[in-house]
Amino acid sequence: MEENKPLLAFGRKNYILMLVGIALLAIGFFVMTLDTEPYGLGFLGITLGPLIVLAGFVVELFAILAKDKAQK
């Protein structure tokens, strides 16, 4: 049996990236609420907010797939 088996599923780098992704998701949804146009059809609600949310999901995907150097 391996003595140095990590107790957590991900490394420190993965968890930091996950927190950054969650922060981007929250910021993106908050930016969408700032739109003053009716039904959120302005620039913030249709363009900028969703792009930030999409970036958050990309960071989350990268955080899950990234290998931590300490686990090698």
Side-chain angles (χ1 to χ4, degrees):
M1 290 182 63
E2 287 186 31
E3 297 283 331
N4 297 332
K5 189 174 181 182
L7 297 175
L8 299 174
F10 297 113
R12 178 178 168 89
K13 174 183 168 184
N14 300 90
Y15 287 113
I16 290 172
L17 284 172
M18 284 182 194
L19 289 175
V20 169
I22 290 170
L24 279 173
L25 289 169
I27 290 169
F29 284 116
F30 180 71
V31 166
M32 283 191 266
T33 64
L34 296 176
D35 197 0
T36 57
E37 295 292 321
Y39 305 108
L41 296 177
F43 174 75
L44 294 176
I46 282 196
T47 306
L48 186 61
L51 284 176
I52 296 172
V53 170
L54 181 65
F57 280 119
V58 169
V59 170
E60 288 295 327
L61 180 67
F62 183 72
I64 292 170
L65 297 178
K67 296 276 186 183
D68 197 18
K69 291 181 182 179
Q71 287 183 337
K72 288 183 180 179

Short mmCIF file of all heavy atoms in Angstrom, two decimals:
data_model
loop_
_atom_site.label_atom_id
_atom_site.label_comp_id
_atom_site.label_asym_id
_atom_site.label_seq_id
_atom_site.Cartn_x
_atom_site.Cartn_y
_atom_site.Cartn_z
N MET A 1 0.84 -1.19 0.00
CA MET A 1 0.00 0.00 0.00
C MET A 1 0.88 1.24 0.00
O MET A 1 1.96 1.25 0.55
CB MET A 1 -0.91 0.00 1.22
CG MET A 1 -1.98 -1.07 1.12
SD MET A 1 -3.14 -1.13 2.47
CE MET A 1 -3.93 0.40 2.40
N GLU A 2 0.35 2.29 -0.58
CA GLU A 2 1.10 3.54 -0.66
C GLU A 2 0.98 4.29 0.66
O GLU A 2 -0.10 4.46 1.20
CB GLU A 2 0.56 4.41 -1.79
CG GLU A 2 0.93 3.91 -3.16
CD GLU A 2 0.50 4.88 -4.23
OE1 GLU A 2 0.48 6.09 -3.97
OE2 GLU A 2 0.18 4.42 -5.33
N GLU A 3 2.11 4.76 1.14
CA GLU A 3 2.14 5.53 2.38
C GLU A 3 1.81 7.00 2.14
O GLU A 3 1.25 7.66 3.00
CB GLU A 3 3.54 5.42 3.02
CG GLU A 3 3.90 4.01 3.42
CD GLU A 3 3.22 3.58 4.70
OE1 GLU A 3 2.92 4.44 5.54
OE2 GLU A 3 2.96 2.38 4.84
N ASN A 4 2.15 7.53 0.96
CA ASN A 4 2.00 8.96 0.67
C ASN A 4 0.72 9.27 -0.10
O ASN A 4 0.68 10.25 -0.83
CB ASN A 4 3.21 9.46 -0.12
CG ASN A 4 4.48 9.34 0.67
OD1 ASN A 4 4.46 9.39 1.89
ND2 ASN A 4 5.59 9.17 -0.02
N LYS A 5 -0.29 8.48 0.03
CA LYS A 5 -1.53 8.71 -0.69
C LYS A 5 -2.23 9.96 -0.14
O LYS A 5 -2.44 10.07 1.07
CB LYS A 5 -2.44 7.50 -0.55
CG LYS A 5 -3.65 7.57 -1.44
CD LYS A 5 -4.44 6.28 -1.37
CE LYS A 5 -5.63 6.36 -2.27
NZ LYS A 5 -6.44 5.16 -2.21
N PRO A 6 -2.59 10.93 -1.01
CA PRO A 6 -3.24 12.14 -0.53
C PRO A 6 -4.64 11.85 0.02
O PRO A 6 -5.35 10.98 -0.48
CB PRO A 6 -3.30 13.04 -1.76
CG PRO A 6 -3.12 12.13 -2.92
CD PRO A 6 -2.37 10.94 -2.44
N LEU A 7 -5.03 12.61 1.03
CA LEU A 7 -6.34 12.42 1.64
C LEU A 7 -7.45 13.11 0.87
O LEU A 7 -8.60 12.71 0.94
CB LEU A 7 -6.30 12.94 3.08
CG LEU A 7 -5.34 12.22 4.02
CD1 LEU A 7 -5.32 12.90 5.37
CD2 LEU A 7 -5.74 10.76 4.18
N LEU A 8 -7.11 14.18 0.13
CA LEU A 8 -8.11 14.94 -0.60
C LEU A 8 -8.08 14.56 -2.08
O LEU A 8 -7.05 14.15 -2.62
CB LEU A 8 -7.85 16.44 -0.44
CG LEU A 8 -7.91 16.96 0.99
CD1 LEU A 8 -7.50 18.41 1.04
CD2 LEU A 8 -9.30 16.80 1.56
N ALA A 9 -9.20 14.72 -2.74
CA ALA A 9 -9.30 14.34 -4.15
C ALA A 9 -8.51 15.27 -5.05
O ALA A 9 -7.98 14.85 -6.07
CB ALA A 9 -10.76 14.33 -4.57
N PHE A 10 -8.40 16.54 -4.69
CA PHE A 10 -7.71 17.53 -5.50
C PHE A 10 -6.59 18.15 -4.69
O PHE A 10 -6.56 18.08 -3.46
CB PHE A 10 -8.67 18.64 -5.96
CG PHE A 10 -9.77 18.14 -6.85
CD1 PHE A 10 -11.08 18.16 -6.43
CD2 PHE A 10 -9.49 17.67 -8.12
CE1 PHE A 10 -12.09 17.72 -7.24
CE2 PHE A 10 -10.50 17.22 -8.95
CZ PHE A 10 -11.80 17.24 -8.51
N GLY A 11 -5.68 18.82 -5.39
CA GLY A 11 -4.59 19.51 -4.73
C GLY A 11 -4.94 20.96 -4.43
O GLY A 11 -6.04 21.44 -4.75
N ARG A 12 -4.01 21.66 -3.84
CA ARG A 12 -4.22 23.06 -3.46
C ARG A 12 -4.54 23.93 -4.68
O ARG A 12 -5.42 24.78 -4.62
CB ARG A 12 -2.97 23.57 -2.75
CG ARG A 12 -3.03 25.01 -2.34
CD ARG A 12 -1.76 25.40 -1.60
NE ARG A 12 -1.64 26.82 -1.44
CZ ARG A 12 -2.14 27.51 -0.43
NH1 ARG A 12 -2.79 26.86 0.53
NH2 ARG A 12 -1.99 28.80 -0.35
N LYS A 13 -3.82 23.70 -5.78
CA LYS A 13 -4.04 24.47 -7.01
C LYS A 13 -5.47 24.31 -7.50
O LYS A 13 -6.11 25.27 -7.92
CB LYS A 13 -3.04 24.01 -8.06
CG LYS A 13 -3.22 24.60 -9.43
CD LYS A 13 -2.21 23.98 -10.39
CE LYS A 13 -2.53 24.33 -11.81
NZ LYS A 13 -1.64 23.67 -12.75
N ASN A 14 -5.99 23.09 -7.45
CA ASN A 14 -7.35 22.82 -7.91
C ASN A 14 -8.38 23.58 -7.08
O ASN A 14 -9.33 24.15 -7.63
CB ASN A 14 -7.65 21.33 -7.87
CG ASN A 14 -6.72 20.53 -8.74
OD1 ASN A 14 -5.67 20.10 -8.29
ND2 ASN A 14 -7.09 20.34 -9.98
N TYR A 15 -8.21 23.56 -5.77
CA TYR A 15 -9.17 24.24 -4.90
C TYR A 15 -9.13 25.76 -5.08
O TYR A 15 -10.17 26.43 -5.06
CB TYR A 15 -8.95 23.86 -3.44
CG TYR A 15 -9.40 22.45 -3.15
CD1 TYR A 15 -8.49 21.46 -2.80
CD2 TYR A 15 -10.73 22.10 -3.24
CE1 TYR A 15 -8.90 20.16 -2.55
CE2 TYR A 15 -11.16 20.80 -2.99
CZ TYR A 15 -10.25 19.84 -2.65
OH TYR A 15 -10.66 18.57 -2.41
N ILE A 16 -7.94 26.31 -5.31
CA ILE A 16 -7.84 27.75 -5.55
C ILE A 16 -8.53 28.10 -6.86
O ILE A 16 -9.29 29.08 -6.93
CB ILE A 16 -6.36 28.19 -5.55
CG1 ILE A 16 -5.80 28.09 -4.14
CG2 ILE A 16 -6.21 29.61 -6.09
CD1 ILE A 16 -4.31 28.33 -4.04
N LEU A 17 -8.32 27.30 -7.90
CA LEU A 17 -9.00 27.54 -9.17
C LEU A 17 -10.51 27.40 -9.04
O LEU A 17 -11.26 28.14 -9.66
CB LEU A 17 -8.46 26.59 -10.24
CG LEU A 17 -7.09 26.92 -10.81
CD1 LEU A 17 -6.60 25.80 -11.71
CD2 LEU A 17 -7.11 28.23 -11.55
N MET A 18 -10.96 26.45 -8.23
CA MET A 18 -12.40 26.31 -8.01
C MET A 18 -13.00 27.54 -7.34
O MET A 18 -14.08 27.99 -7.70
CB MET A 18 -12.69 25.06 -7.18
CG MET A 18 -12.56 23.79 -7.94
SD MET A 18 -12.98 22.39 -6.89
CE MET A 18 -12.36 21.05 -7.85
N LEU A 19 -12.28 28.08 -6.36
CA LEU A 19 -12.77 29.30 -5.69
C LEU A 19 -12.80 30.48 -6.66
O LEU A 19 -13.73 31.29 -6.62
CB LEU A 19 -11.91 29.61 -4.47
CG LEU A 19 -12.07 28.65 -3.30
CD1 LEU A 19 -11.08 28.99 -2.19
CD2 LEU A 19 -13.49 28.69 -2.77
N VAL A 20 -11.80 30.58 -7.53
CA VAL A 20 -11.79 31.65 -8.53
C VAL A 20 -12.97 31.48 -9.48
O VAL A 20 -13.65 32.46 -9.83
CB VAL A 20 -10.44 31.66 -9.29
CG1 VAL A 20 -10.50 32.57 -10.51
CG2 VAL A 20 -9.31 32.07 -8.37
N GLY A 21 -13.25 30.26 -9.89
CA GLY A 21 -14.38 30.00 -10.77
C GLY A 21 -15.71 30.34 -10.13
O GLY A 21 -16.59 30.94 -10.76
N ILE A 22 -15.86 29.99 -8.86
CA ILE A 22 -17.10 30.32 -8.14
C ILE A 22 -17.25 31.83 -8.01
O ILE A 22 -18.35 32.37 -8.17
CB ILE A 22 -17.11 29.64 -6.75
CG1 ILE A 22 -17.28 28.13 -6.93
CG2 ILE A 22 -18.21 30.20 -5.87
CD1 ILE A 22 -17.08 27.33 -5.67
N ALA A 23 -16.14 32.53 -7.76
CA ALA A 23 -16.18 33.99 -7.67
C ALA A 23 -16.59 34.60 -9.01
O ALA A 23 -17.39 35.54 -9.05
CB ALA A 23 -14.83 34.53 -7.21
N LEU A 24 -16.04 34.08 -10.11
CA LEU A 24 -16.43 34.58 -11.43
C LEU A 24 -17.91 34.34 -11.71
O LEU A 24 -18.59 35.19 -12.29
CB LEU A 24 -15.58 33.92 -12.52
CG LEU A 24 -14.20 34.51 -12.74
CD1 LEU A 24 -13.41 33.65 -13.72
CD2 LEU A 24 -14.29 35.93 -13.24
N LEU A 25 -18.41 33.18 -11.32
CA LEU A 25 -19.84 32.90 -11.51
C LEU A 25 -20.69 33.90 -10.74
O LEU A 25 -21.66 34.45 -11.27
CB LEU A 25 -20.17 31.48 -11.08
CG LEU A 25 -19.64 30.37 -11.98
CD1 LEU A 25 -19.81 29.01 -11.30
CD2 LEU A 25 -20.37 30.39 -13.30
N ALA A 26 -20.33 34.14 -9.49
CA ALA A 26 -21.10 35.08 -8.67
C ALA A 26 -21.03 36.50 -9.24
O ALA A 26 -22.05 37.20 -9.30
CB ALA A 26 -20.57 35.06 -7.23
N ILE A 27 -19.86 36.91 -9.68
CA ILE A 27 -19.70 38.25 -10.26
C ILE A 27 -20.53 38.36 -11.54
O ILE A 27 -21.20 39.38 -11.78
CB ILE A 27 -18.21 38.55 -10.53
CG1 ILE A 27 -17.47 38.74 -9.21
CG2 ILE A 27 -18.04 39.78 -11.42
CD1 ILE A 27 -15.96 38.78 -9.34
N GLY A 28 -20.51 37.32 -12.38
CA GLY A 28 -21.28 37.35 -13.62
C GLY A 28 -22.77 37.48 -13.37
O GLY A 28 -23.45 38.27 -14.03
N PHE A 29 -23.29 36.72 -12.42
CA PHE A 29 -24.72 36.83 -12.10
C PHE A 29 -25.05 38.18 -11.49
O PHE A 29 -26.11 38.76 -11.76
CB PHE A 29 -25.17 35.69 -11.19
CG PHE A 29 -25.33 34.38 -11.91
CD1 PHE A 29 -24.52 33.30 -11.60
CD2 PHE A 29 -26.27 34.23 -12.91
CE1 PHE A 29 -24.66 32.10 -12.27
CE2 PHE A 29 -26.43 33.03 -13.59
CZ PHE A 29 -25.61 31.97 -13.27
N PHE A 30 -24.14 38.72 -10.68
CA PHE A 30 -24.36 40.05 -10.11
C PHE A 30 -24.37 41.12 -11.19
O PHE A 30 -25.20 42.03 -11.17
CB PHE A 30 -23.30 40.35 -9.05
CG PHE A 30 -23.45 41.69 -8.43
CD1 PHE A 30 -24.49 41.95 -7.56
CD2 PHE A 30 -22.57 42.72 -8.73
CE1 PHE A 30 -24.66 43.20 -6.98
CE2 PHE A 30 -22.72 43.96 -8.17
CZ PHE A 30 -23.77 44.21 -7.29
N VAL A 31 -23.46 41.02 -12.15
CA VAL A 31 -23.42 41.99 -13.25
C VAL A 31 -24.72 41.94 -14.05
O VAL A 31 -25.24 42.98 -14.47
CB VAL A 31 -22.20 41.72 -14.16
CG1 VAL A 31 -22.30 42.47 -15.48
CG2 VAL A 31 -20.92 42.10 -13.44
N MET A 32 -25.29 40.76 -14.23
CA MET A 32 -26.56 40.66 -14.96
C MET A 32 -27.68 41.37 -14.22
O MET A 32 -28.60 41.90 -14.85
CB MET A 32 -26.92 39.20 -15.20
CG MET A 32 -26.15 38.56 -16.32
SD MET A 32 -26.79 36.96 -16.80
CE MET A 32 -25.78 35.89 -15.82
N THR A 33 -27.63 41.40 -12.89
CA THR A 33 -28.69 42.08 -12.14
C THR A 33 -28.55 43.60 -12.20
O THR A 33 -29.51 44.31 -11.89
CB THR A 33 -28.69 41.66 -10.66
OG1 THR A 33 -27.48 42.07 -10.04
CG2 THR A 33 -28.87 40.16 -10.52
N LEU A 34 -27.39 44.10 -12.59
CA LEU A 34 -27.18 45.55 -12.65
C LEU A 34 -27.79 46.18 -13.89
O LEU A 34 -27.83 47.41 -14.00
CB LEU A 34 -25.68 45.86 -12.61
CG LEU A 34 -24.94 45.48 -11.34
CD1 LEU A 34 -23.46 45.77 -11.50
CD2 LEU A 34 -25.50 46.21 -10.14
N ASP A 35 -28.25 45.39 -14.83
CA ASP A 35 -28.80 45.93 -16.08
C ASP A 35 -30.09 46.68 -15.79
O ASP A 35 -30.98 46.19 -15.11
CB ASP A 35 -29.06 44.77 -17.05
CG ASP A 35 -29.22 45.26 -18.47
OD1 ASP A 35 -29.13 46.48 -18.70
OD2 ASP A 35 -29.43 44.42 -19.35
N THR A 36 -30.18 47.91 -16.31
CA THR A 36 -31.35 48.75 -16.06
C THR A 36 -32.38 48.69 -17.19
O THR A 36 -33.45 49.27 -17.07
CB THR A 36 -30.91 50.21 -15.86
OG1 THR A 36 -30.19 50.65 -17.03
CG2 THR A 36 -30.03 50.35 -14.64
N GLU A 37 -32.04 48.02 -18.27
CA GLU A 37 -32.99 47.91 -19.39
C GLU A 37 -34.15 46.98 -19.01
O GLU A 37 -34.00 46.09 -18.16
CB GLU A 37 -32.27 47.33 -20.62
CG GLU A 37 -31.20 48.23 -21.19
CD GLU A 37 -31.78 49.48 -21.82
OE1 GLU A 37 -32.84 49.40 -22.47
OE2 GLU A 37 -31.17 50.55 -21.64
N PRO A 38 -35.31 47.16 -19.63
CA PRO A 38 -36.43 46.26 -19.35
C PRO A 38 -36.08 44.81 -19.70
O PRO A 38 -35.51 44.54 -20.75
CB PRO A 38 -37.55 46.78 -20.25
CG PRO A 38 -37.14 48.13 -20.70
CD PRO A 38 -35.65 48.20 -20.58
N TYR A 39 -36.45 43.90 -18.83
CA TYR A 39 -36.23 42.46 -18.99
C TYR A 39 -34.75 42.09 -19.11
O TYR A 39 -34.43 41.01 -19.59
CB TYR A 39 -37.00 41.91 -20.19
CG TYR A 39 -38.47 42.21 -20.14
CD1 TYR A 39 -39.03 43.15 -20.99
CD2 TYR A 39 -39.29 41.57 -19.21
CE1 TYR A 39 -40.38 43.44 -20.93
CE2 TYR A 39 -40.63 41.85 -19.15
CZ TYR A 39 -41.18 42.79 -20.01
OH TYR A 39 -42.52 43.07 -19.94
N GLY A 40 -33.85 42.96 -18.70
CA GLY A 40 -32.43 42.67 -18.75
C GLY A 40 -31.87 42.55 -20.14
O GLY A 40 -30.96 41.77 -20.39
N LEU A 41 -32.40 43.31 -21.08
CA LEU A 41 -31.99 43.20 -22.48
C LEU A 41 -30.91 44.19 -22.87
O LEU A 41 -30.67 44.41 -24.05
CB LEU A 41 -33.20 43.37 -23.41
CG LEU A 41 -34.27 42.29 -23.28
CD1 LEU A 41 -35.45 42.59 -24.19
CD2 LEU A 41 -33.69 40.93 -23.60
N GLY A 42 -30.22 44.76 -21.91
CA GLY A 42 -29.13 45.69 -22.21
C GLY A 42 -27.80 44.96 -22.33
O GLY A 42 -27.71 43.73 -22.31
N PHE A 43 -26.73 45.73 -22.45
CA PHE A 43 -25.38 45.17 -22.62
C PHE A 43 -24.97 44.31 -21.43
O PHE A 43 -24.40 43.24 -21.61
CB PHE A 43 -24.39 46.32 -22.82
CG PHE A 43 -22.96 45.87 -22.86
CD1 PHE A 43 -22.46 45.21 -23.97
CD2 PHE A 43 -22.12 46.08 -21.78
CE1 PHE A 43 -21.14 44.79 -24.01
CE2 PHE A 43 -20.81 45.65 -21.81
CZ PHE A 43 -20.32 45.00 -22.93
N LEU A 44 -25.27 44.76 -20.22
CA LEU A 44 -24.86 44.01 -19.03
C LEU A 44 -25.60 42.68 -18.92
O LEU A 44 -25.01 41.67 -18.53
CB LEU A 44 -25.09 44.84 -17.76
CG LEU A 44 -24.24 46.09 -17.61
CD1 LEU A 44 -24.65 46.85 -16.35
CD2 LEU A 44 -22.77 45.76 -17.58
N GLY A 45 -26.86 42.67 -19.23
CA GLY A 45 -27.67 41.47 -19.06
C GLY A 45 -27.53 40.45 -20.17
O GLY A 45 -27.73 39.25 -19.95
N ILE A 46 -27.20 40.91 -21.37
CA ILE A 46 -27.15 39.99 -22.51
C ILE A 46 -25.72 39.66 -22.93
O ILE A 46 -25.47 38.56 -23.43
CB ILE A 46 -27.93 40.59 -23.69
CG1 ILE A 46 -29.39 40.38 -23.45
CG2 ILE A 46 -27.51 40.01 -25.00
CD1 ILE A 46 -30.27 40.55 -24.64
N THR A 47 -24.77 40.56 -22.71
CA THR A 47 -23.42 40.33 -23.23
C THR A 47 -22.39 40.12 -22.13
O THR A 47 -21.77 39.06 -22.04
CB THR A 47 -22.99 41.51 -24.12
OG1 THR A 47 -23.97 41.71 -25.13
CG2 THR A 47 -21.65 41.23 -24.77
N LEU A 48 -22.19 41.12 -21.30
CA LEU A 48 -21.09 41.08 -20.34
C LEU A 48 -21.31 40.04 -19.24
O LEU A 48 -20.41 39.23 -18.96
CB LEU A 48 -20.87 42.47 -19.72
CG LEU A 48 -19.67 42.59 -18.81
CD1 LEU A 48 -18.39 42.29 -19.58
CD2 LEU A 48 -19.61 43.96 -18.19
N GLY A 49 -22.47 40.02 -18.63
CA GLY A 49 -22.75 39.06 -17.57
C GLY A 49 -22.61 37.62 -18.01
O GLY A 49 -21.90 36.84 -17.37
N PRO A 50 -23.26 37.23 -19.11
CA PRO A 50 -23.10 35.84 -19.56
C PRO A 50 -21.67 35.48 -19.95
O PRO A 50 -21.25 34.33 -19.76
CB PRO A 50 -24.03 35.76 -20.77
CG PRO A 50 -25.08 36.78 -20.49
CD PRO A 50 -24.36 37.90 -19.80
N LEU A 51 -20.90 36.41 -20.49
CA LEU A 51 -19.50 36.12 -20.81
C LEU A 51 -18.68 35.84 -19.54
O LEU A 51 -17.83 34.95 -19.53
CB LEU A 51 -18.88 37.27 -21.60
CG LEU A 51 -19.28 37.35 -23.07
CD1 LEU A 51 -18.67 38.59 -23.71
CD2 LEU A 51 -18.86 36.11 -23.81
N ILE A 52 -18.96 36.59 -18.49
CA ILE A 52 -18.26 36.36 -17.22
C ILE A 52 -18.67 35.02 -16.62
O ILE A 52 -17.84 34.27 -16.11
CB ILE A 52 -18.52 37.52 -16.24
CG1 ILE A 52 -17.92 38.82 -16.78
CG2 ILE A 52 -17.92 37.22 -14.86
CD1 ILE A 52 -18.28 40.06 -16.00
N VAL A 53 -19.95 34.68 -16.72
CA VAL A 53 -20.42 33.38 -16.22
C VAL A 53 -19.79 32.25 -17.02
O VAL A 53 -19.34 31.24 -16.45
CB VAL A 53 -21.97 33.31 -16.28
CG1 VAL A 53 -22.45 31.90 -16.01
CG2 VAL A 53 -22.57 34.28 -15.27
N LEU A 54 -19.71 32.40 -18.33
CA LEU A 54 -19.07 31.40 -19.17
C LEU A 54 -17.60 31.22 -18.80
O LEU A 54 -17.10 30.10 -18.72
CB LEU A 54 -19.21 31.77 -20.65
CG LEU A 54 -18.61 30.79 -21.65
CD1 LEU A 54 -19.36 29.46 -21.59
CD2 LEU A 54 -18.67 31.37 -23.04
N ALA A 55 -16.92 32.34 -18.54
CA ALA A 55 -15.52 32.26 -18.10
C ALA A 55 -15.41 31.52 -16.77
O ALA A 55 -14.47 30.74 -16.56
CB ALA A 55 -14.93 33.67 -17.97
N GLY A 56 -16.37 31.73 -15.88
CA GLY A 56 -16.38 31.01 -14.61
C GLY A 56 -16.52 29.51 -14.80
O GLY A 56 -15.84 28.72 -14.14
N PHE A 57 -17.39 29.09 -15.73
CA PHE A 57 -17.55 27.66 -16.00
C PHE A 57 -16.29 27.07 -16.64
O PHE A 57 -15.92 25.93 -16.35
CB PHE A 57 -18.76 27.40 -16.88
CG PHE A 57 -20.06 27.43 -16.12
CD1 PHE A 57 -21.04 28.36 -16.43
CD2 PHE A 57 -20.31 26.53 -15.10
CE1 PHE A 57 -22.23 28.39 -15.73
CE2 PHE A 57 -21.49 26.54 -14.39
CZ PHE A 57 -22.46 27.48 -14.71
N VAL A 58 -15.62 27.83 -17.49
CA VAL A 58 -14.38 27.35 -18.10
C VAL A 58 -13.31 27.17 -17.04
O VAL A 58 -12.58 26.17 -17.03
CB VAL A 58 -13.91 28.32 -19.22
CG1 VAL A 58 -12.50 27.99 -19.68
CG2 VAL A 58 -14.88 28.27 -20.39
N VAL A 59 -13.21 28.11 -16.10
CA VAL A 59 -12.23 27.99 -15.00
C VAL A 59 -12.57 26.78 -14.14
O VAL A 59 -11.67 26.04 -13.72
CB VAL A 59 -12.19 29.29 -14.17
CG1 VAL A 59 -11.38 29.10 -12.90
CG2 VAL A 59 -11.60 30.42 -14.99
N GLU A 60 -13.85 26.54 -13.88
CA GLU A 60 -14.25 25.38 -13.09
C GLU A 60 -13.86 24.08 -13.80
O GLU A 60 -13.37 23.14 -13.17
CB GLU A 60 -15.76 25.38 -12.84
CG GLU A 60 -16.22 26.42 -11.86
CD GLU A 60 -15.70 26.18 -10.46
OE1 GLU A 60 -15.54 25.02 -10.05
OE2 GLU A 60 -15.46 27.17 -9.77
N LEU A 61 -14.08 24.01 -15.10
CA LEU A 61 -13.70 22.82 -15.85
C LEU A 61 -12.19 22.61 -15.80
O LEU A 61 -11.71 21.49 -15.59
CB LEU A 61 -14.17 22.94 -17.31
CG LEU A 61 -13.83 21.77 -18.22
CD1 LEU A 61 -14.61 20.54 -17.78
CD2 LEU A 61 -14.16 22.11 -19.65
N PHE A 62 -11.44 23.68 -15.97
CA PHE A 62 -9.98 23.59 -15.90
C PHE A 62 -9.54 23.17 -14.50
O PHE A 62 -8.59 22.40 -14.35
CB PHE A 62 -9.35 24.92 -16.29
CG PHE A 62 -7.86 24.88 -16.30
CD1 PHE A 62 -7.16 24.21 -17.28
CD2 PHE A 62 -7.14 25.52 -15.30
CE1 PHE A 62 -5.78 24.17 -17.28
CE2 PHE A 62 -5.76 25.49 -15.29
CZ PHE A 62 -5.07 24.81 -16.28
N ALA A 63 -10.23 23.65 -13.47
CA ALA A 63 -9.87 23.30 -12.09
C ALA A 63 -10.07 21.81 -11.83
O ALA A 63 -9.31 21.19 -11.10
CB ALA A 63 -10.71 24.13 -11.11
N ILE A 64 -11.09 21.23 -12.44
CA ILE A 64 -11.33 19.80 -12.25
C ILE A 64 -10.32 18.95 -13.01
O ILE A 64 -9.85 17.93 -12.52
CB ILE A 64 -12.78 19.46 -12.70
CG1 ILE A 64 -13.78 20.10 -11.75
CG2 ILE A 64 -12.99 17.96 -12.77
CD1 ILE A 64 -15.21 20.04 -12.22
N LEU A 65 -9.95 19.39 -14.21
CA LEU A 65 -9.08 18.60 -15.06
C LEU A 65 -7.59 18.81 -14.80
O LEU A 65 -6.77 17.99 -15.22
CB LEU A 65 -9.38 18.89 -16.53
CG LEU A 65 -10.77 18.51 -17.02
CD1 LEU A 65 -10.96 18.89 -18.47
CD2 LEU A 65 -11.03 17.03 -16.82
N ALA A 66 -7.21 19.89 -14.13
CA ALA A 66 -5.79 20.20 -13.92
C ALA A 66 -5.16 19.22 -12.94
O ALA A 66 -5.78 18.83 -11.94
CB ALA A 66 -5.64 21.62 -13.41
N LYS A 67 -3.94 18.82 -13.23
CA LYS A 67 -3.18 17.95 -12.34
C LYS A 67 -2.32 18.82 -11.44
O LYS A 67 -1.65 19.74 -11.89
CB LYS A 67 -2.27 17.01 -13.15
CG LYS A 67 -3.00 16.06 -14.02
CD LYS A 67 -3.41 14.86 -13.25
CE LYS A 67 -4.01 13.84 -14.21
NZ LYS A 67 -4.49 12.69 -13.57
N ASP A 68 -2.31 18.50 -10.16
CA ASP A 68 -1.47 19.23 -9.23
C ASP A 68 -0.10 18.56 -9.20
O ASP A 68 0.02 17.33 -9.17
CB ASP A 68 -2.11 19.20 -7.83
CG ASP A 68 -1.52 20.26 -6.92
OD1 ASP A 68 -0.90 21.20 -7.43
OD2 ASP A 68 -1.70 20.14 -5.70
N LYS A 69 0.96 19.34 -9.22
CA LYS A 69 2.32 18.79 -9.24
C LYS A 69 2.63 17.99 -7.99
O LYS A 69 3.41 17.06 -8.02
CB LYS A 69 3.34 19.91 -9.39
CG LYS A 69 3.30 20.55 -10.76
CD LYS A 69 4.34 21.65 -10.89
CE LYS A 69 4.22 22.30 -12.25
NZ LYS A 69 5.20 23.37 -12.41
N ALA A 70 2.01 18.32 -6.87
CA ALA A 70 2.27 17.61 -5.61
C ALA A 70 1.71 16.19 -5.65
O ALA A 70 2.15 15.33 -4.91
CB ALA A 70 1.67 18.38 -4.45
N GLN A 71 0.72 15.93 -6.51
CA GLN A 71 0.10 14.60 -6.57
C GLN A 71 0.88 13.62 -7.44
O GLN A 71 0.63 12.45 -7.43
CB GLN A 71 -1.32 14.71 -7.09
CG GLN A 71 -2.28 15.30 -6.11
CD GLN A 71 -3.70 15.31 -6.64
OE1 GLN A 71 -3.93 15.27 -7.84
NE2 GLN A 71 -4.66 15.38 -5.75
N LYS A 72 1.83 14.10 -8.23
CA LYS A 72 2.57 13.22 -9.15
C LYS A 72 3.52 12.32 -8.44
O LYS A 72 4.02 12.44 -7.44
CB LYS A 72 3.33 14.05 -10.18
CG LYS A 72 2.36 14.67 -11.19
CD LYS A 72 3.13 15.41 -12.23
CE LYS A 72 2.19 16.03 -13.22
NZ LYS A 72 2.84 16.78 -14.24
#
